[in-house]
Each structure stands twice: as C-alpha cells, then as structure tokens.
Amino acid sequence: MIQFLGEYEATLDAKGRFLLPAGIKKQIPEDAGEQFVIARGFEKCLTLYPKKNWDPILAELSKVSEYKAENREFLRYFTMGASLCDLDSAGRMLVPPNLKAHAGLEKDIVLVSVINKIEIWDKVKYQQFFESFTPEKYSDLAERVMGGQNTQM
C-alpha cells in the first residue's frame, strides 16, 4: 500500500484539470503506474487513490452482502461516480464534471494526504472545515478514536 504525507495547493484549469503536485508524485513508486481512481469522499470532497490502493478496497467491498438494503445503499454511494483516470503527458489529471460538482470545486483546490489516499477539497471549504475545528475538539476526537487503542504513541 502506498502511503502519503503532506498538503498541497493546486489550481483547476478551465477544463477541470490540475497538475499533480511533485510532492505527491515523488511518493508514488514507479511500479505503481500512473492510474488512479477518483471518487466521492465522505465529506464534500473527493478521494484520489492510486489504483494499487483502490483494488484491495474493492476486494473488501466485494465481500459485503448485497442482501441487506443498507449494504447496497453504502456500496452504491461509495462507488457512485468513481472513475478511473490517468495522468496526461503534462502530469495533469482531469476531474470528471459530476465529481467536480459534487465537491463544489471551482478553481483553487487543496490536496490533503490521508494515509492511503489523497482528499481533494475546494480551498475555501477546506479552510472553513479547519476554522470550525478547535484544538479542544481535536483532542476529544483523538481520545475517542485512539484512546482505547493499544498503541505506542
């Protein structure tokens, strides 16, 4: 699995393309190729997975029972609009119009590393998200998510 670090700003051109930042490209091993899957995120953002990271997710999803209505609903929403995309010869990636509209991407975007994927946010929405997230909320969230874990952090 490819893991990412960093936060990068980019700009969408008139056709909805952005240049994949060099800081991200350097983190992708050569044998991973240049194929990606772009999909809806859980918030009003998009997720960008190297195909190598997406395939195991699909393998896990294929184990989910389709006999439960909520499972079908989740599977539909999670994969709805997911698109295979490649970098063009200039290192740009095209954001499909339906996904661009879903995340409200205009021109300025932020690419945020989240372990095995990159989230793509509209810059203004990303700033608003963090302005509403206080250090106290962060501390409480960390305790709820990681507090019971047997980690060595």
Side-chain angles (χ1 to χ4, degrees):
M1 177 176 71
I2 302 166
Q3 295 183 347
F4 296 101
L5 292 173
E7 181 179 295
Y8 307 87
E9 292 188 6
T11 304
L12 290 176
D13 67 14
K15 294 181 180 179
R17 299 173 300 191
F18 67 92
L19 187 62
L20 190 66
I24 292 174
K25 286 172 80 171
K26 285 192 284 188
Q27 297 178 57
I28 301 171
E30 283 186 31
D31 66 344
E34 294 189 348
Q35 277 199 320
F36 295 85
V37 173
I38 189 168
R40 288 173 170 83
F42 290 113
E43 286 76 29
K44 278 290 193 181
C45 66
L46 301 178
T47 53
L48 180 66
Y49 295 87
K51 180 102 171 40
K52 184 176 184 172
N53 287 3
W54 177 259
D55 290 341
I57 293 168
L58 280 186
E60 284 298 309
L61 291 175
S62 70
K63 297 175 188 174
V64 173
S65 173
E66 293 184 36
Y67 295 105
K68 291 179 73 176
E70 69 180 359
N71 292 3
R72 290 191 306 273
E73 185 177 5
F74 171 75
L75 291 170
R76 271 187 217 112
Y77 195 80
F78 188 80
T79 59
M80 184 174 22
S83 301
L84 190 61
C85 53
D86 296 295
L87 294 178
D88 68 14
S89 60
R92 296 173 300 195
M93 185 171 296
L94 176 67
V95 178
N98 60 324
L99 295 178
K100 183 179 166 193
H102 166 78
L105 303 181
E106 295 295 325
K107 184 174 181 168
D108 295 321
I109 61 174
V110 181
L111 289 87
V112 183
S113 303
V114 185
I115 305 172
N116 68 330
K117 65 183 175 264
I118 305 290
E119 288 184 343
I120 303 172
W121 288 79
D122 174 77
K123 185 176 180 179
V124 171
K125 287 184 179 98
Y126 184 68
Q127 289 169 335
Q128 289 169 347
F129 176 78
F130 273 100
E131 286 171 2
S132 69
F133 201 67
T134 66
E136 293 79 19
K137 284 183 184 178
Y138 178 50
S139 179
D140 291 344
L141 181 61
E143 184 177 338
R144 286 193 315 272
V145 173
M146 300 299 293
Q149 301 291 326
N150 188 12
T151 63
Q152 302 212 356
M153 293 179 75

